[in-house]
Amino acid sequence: MTNLQPVRGTHDLLFDDLRRHRLIEATAFDLAARYGFVEIATPIFEFTDVFARTLGDTSDIVTKEMYTFETKGGESITLRPEGTAGVARAFISGGLAQMTPLKLFYRGPMFRHERPQKGRQRQFQQIGVELLGVASPQGDVEVIALAEHILKDLRLTGVTTLEINSLGDTESRAAYRDALVQFLGARKTALSEESRERLARNPLRILDSKDPGDQAAVKDAPAFTDFLNMASQDFFKTVQDGLAALGIGFKVNPALVRGLDYYCHTAFEFTTEALGAQGTVLAGGRYDGLIQQMGGPPTPGVGWAAGVERLAMLLPELTPAHRPIAVIPISDDEVTAAQSLTHTLRRAGLAADLGYGGNMGKRMKRADKINAIVAVILGADEVREHAVTVRNLDTGDQVKVPEADLVRHLAAYR
RNA sequence: GCGGGUGUAGCUCAGUUGGUUAGAGCAUCUGGUUGUGGUCCAGAGGGUCGCGGGUUCGAGUCCCGUCACUCGCCCCA
């Protein structure tokens, strides 16, 4: 081992950072269950093709951000850069088409080899849902409603905004793409170098470029909404009406384009101003062609994923952790009795802490440091009387309690 | 992958035009206090000054390289 630094873009989680993660995951899991979603855990690696084929050959994720390696058997394996492709693969290989509509929730680490910065790491946690086998816009509304519900319970609706757009069906999308390429092709000189590249590869992305020149050029470009065919327009309108009916606020953003190839119809993002360049906190959309494209039965799908680290950075102050009871033997003579007492309290469902050494003063200090709510003190007198001294560490009030009454007495401190 | 900024104690940071034993606050530990914590007082431990090379009588300080972090671009959760 030549150095002890963590691998670039990876982080250890503990204490409040990890509590934030767990709170987010638990909130999302519980609410997803309320909406009828069950958890799926897919492997964190797949054959490289699973991602290469589904995400699109032009996406940056595939072209430069995948952690890919070869096994001893010569197979190409990739650490999952996102969740949907793996779930889609599981849907197909597990024969889950029998069970549609299928509502799946997942959580776990994702891996992308890109330059780390605020809100962006090489290993990061995502939570997400996929609703498979539902073609109706009712599905889009449901998954967005779940997303909003999670953010609301996490008290994040104040710092996030929901933006939605429609990418239309395949036909609408192709027509728009042609029109956009034609329009921007004629103004090539006004575009940034990167956008000139994108014109051939991924022209829709020019719409949300941050380059001022690009933004000016795009200003008078044809609007996506004008190219939506009737079916796509109806679909989009139904989604908007559905959200409005649930009282979910949103903003239509015609420039909203998702990066991955498999999206169609609804695209949405919850964004924030609070995270610098990484404004997207939860994003998703509809992917009706994906499963079939991967070789499965034609199956519509809609879902989203959220970055747990980004949500964690937005989270308000955590409520203090549960306060334990400190058991304090006055001398070494009472340590065994104290350990037994601690065990009894724990068996009774109370969080009890027994330090590992030191005189009474030190043990009291430790009790204070771990934010104990009460100290249960055990000395020679107490042992003789089959009692303990209970000290309220906030008020300093102290009372002697018979051992038999202790658990009942401590219930007041829970 | 590209551009900017920053690296000094566990944390937050001082450190003068290059000058001899590198400091502070917080945190930790010990003692004041062997039946009572927080507050207070006294003391202690803790540093390859990110790493490597160079300039110099002398480098935390200047130069080059490198690594890491960070902000932005690209892209994305």
Side-chain angles (χ1 to χ4, degrees):
Chain A
M1 186 167 309
T2 52
N3 69 60
L4 288 176
Q5 284 172 334
V7 174
R8 184 174 211 184
T10 66
H11 294 279
D12 304 307
L13 284 171
L14 72 168
F15 305 134
D16 276 2
D17 288 336
L18 190 52
R19 285 183 65 209
R20 288 175 205 276
H21 275 63
R22 294 297 185 236
L23 174 66
I24 290 162
E25 282 182 31
T27 302
F29 174 79
D30 290 347
L31 283 173
R34 195 185 299 179
Y35 281 66
F37 288 78
V38 299
E39 185 166 14
I40 182 172
T42 65
I44 62 169
F45 49 47
E46 299 274 356
F47 289 119
T48 300
D49 265 4
V50 169
F51 304 114
R53 289 219 315 263
T54 56
L55 300 177
D57 300 333
T58 59
S59 74
D60 273 30
I61 290 181
V62 170
T63 54
K64 57 183 198 194
E65 293 175 2
M66 294 203 306
Y67 276 95
T68 297
F69 56 93
E70 198 170 287
T71 66
K72 287 178 182 170
E75 291 162 328
S76 183
I77 299 291
T78 294
L79 261 35
R80 63 184 184 191
E82 57 98 47
T84 302
V87 170
R89 192 234 80 224
F91 179 84
I92 298 168
S93 55
L96 300 177
Q98 313 290 325
M99 310 186 68
T100 57
L102 189 58
K103 306 165 91 164
L104 299 173
F105 168 87
Y106 65 84
R107 54 180 147 188
M110 305 293 166
F111 305 84
R112 291 182 199 173
H113 189 107
E114 54 189 340
R115 186 77 170 261
Q117 55 179 278
K118 186 177 186 180
R120 172 187 302 168
Q121 299 166 234
R122 289 184 170 182
Q123 175 176 341
F124 59 104
Q125 301 289 322
Q126 281 193 342
I127 52 176
V129 298
E130 314 290 356
L131 171 56
L132 296 164
V134 175
S136 157
Q138 187 191 329
D140 304 52
V141 173
E142 187 177 34
V143 299
I144 293 173
L146 170 57
E148 198 256 3
H149 200 153
I150 292 168
L151 294 176
K152 183 167 275 175
D153 274 21
L154 292 171
R155 296 187 292 160
L156 295 180
T157 38
V159 291
T160 54
T161 310
L162 171 60
E163 297 182 3
I164 65 172
N165 191 27
S166 174
L167 306 175
D169 55 19
T170 319
E171 180 189 290
S172 304
R173 199 171 168 179
Y176 178 67
R177 185 187 155 116
D178 288 349
L180 187 66
V181 170
Q182 195 181 355
F183 177 87
L184 292 175
R187 291 160 182 76
K188 228 174 170 172
T189 48
L191 294 178
S192 67
E193 197 176 325
E194 279 146 357
S195 285
R196 268 175 259 166
E197 286 274 317
R198 284 192 277 233
L199 203 51
R201 258 185 346 133
N202 199 352
L204 265 46
R205 289 229 63 106
I206 301 174
L207 292 176
D208 63 356
S209 168
K210 288 175 190 168
D211 182 273
D214 289 349
Q215 285 176 0
V218 155
K219 213 168 168 230
D220 299 316
F224 213 147
T225 37
D226 295 338
F227 284 76
L228 294 179
N229 59 23
M230 206 48 107
S232 297
Q233 282 179 42
D234 284 350
F235 194 100
F236 193 33
K237 179 160 191 316
T238 308
V239 171
Q240 292 182 60
D241 290 348
L243 292 174
L246 300 183
I248 295 170
F250 62 89
K251 205 172 72 187
V252 173
N253 175 4
L256 173 59
V257 179
R258 311 289 353 272
L260 309 180
D261 268 11
Y262 51 60
Y263 286 108
C264 63
H265 285 298
T266 316
F268 58 91
E269 288 185 355
F270 285 85
T271 59
T272 180
E273 305 282 296
L275 293 182
Q278 275 63 244
T280 304
V281 121
L282 183 155
R286 178 163 279 280
Y287 47 89
D288 289 347
L290 175 65
I291 305 271
Q292 184 172 26
Q293 181 195 321
M294 287 179 76
T299 308
V302 58
W304 51 255
V308 177
E309 284 81 1
R310 292 184 184 179
L311 291 171
M313 284 190 287
L314 294 177
L315 222 54
E317 265 321 288
L318 294 172
T319 52
H322 189 71
R323 298 178 69 184
I325 294 159
V327 179
I328 298 181
I330 283 171
S331 76
D332 287 350
D333 293 340
E334 293 86 31
V335 167
T336 304
Q339 186 148 37
S340 167
L341 179 61
T342 303
H343 191 63
T344 302
L345 296 179
R346 289 171 176 166
R347 294 290 293 252
L350 298 165
D353 177 87
L354 175 62
Y356 300 104
N359 58 27
M360 184 183 190
K362 287 218 194 328
R363 288 175 180 275
M364 287 296 286
K365 273 189 180 155
R366 175 183 162 82
D368 201 58
K369 196 159 55 185
I370 63 174
N371 195 30
I373 190 166
V374 67
V376 172
I377 300 164
L378 200 54
D381 297 348
E382 284 85 352
V383 169
R384 197 180 323 112
E385 298 164 25
H386 299 290
V388 294
T389 298
V390 174
R391 181 182 178 87
N392 181 321
L393 290 172
D394 290 338
T395 64
D397 295 341
Q398 205 162 291
V399 57
K400 204 170 265 185
V401 178
E403 221 174 277
D405 293 343
L406 182 59
V407 170
R408 200 168 346 130
H409 181 86
L410 291 174
Y413 290 96
R414 292 177 90 168

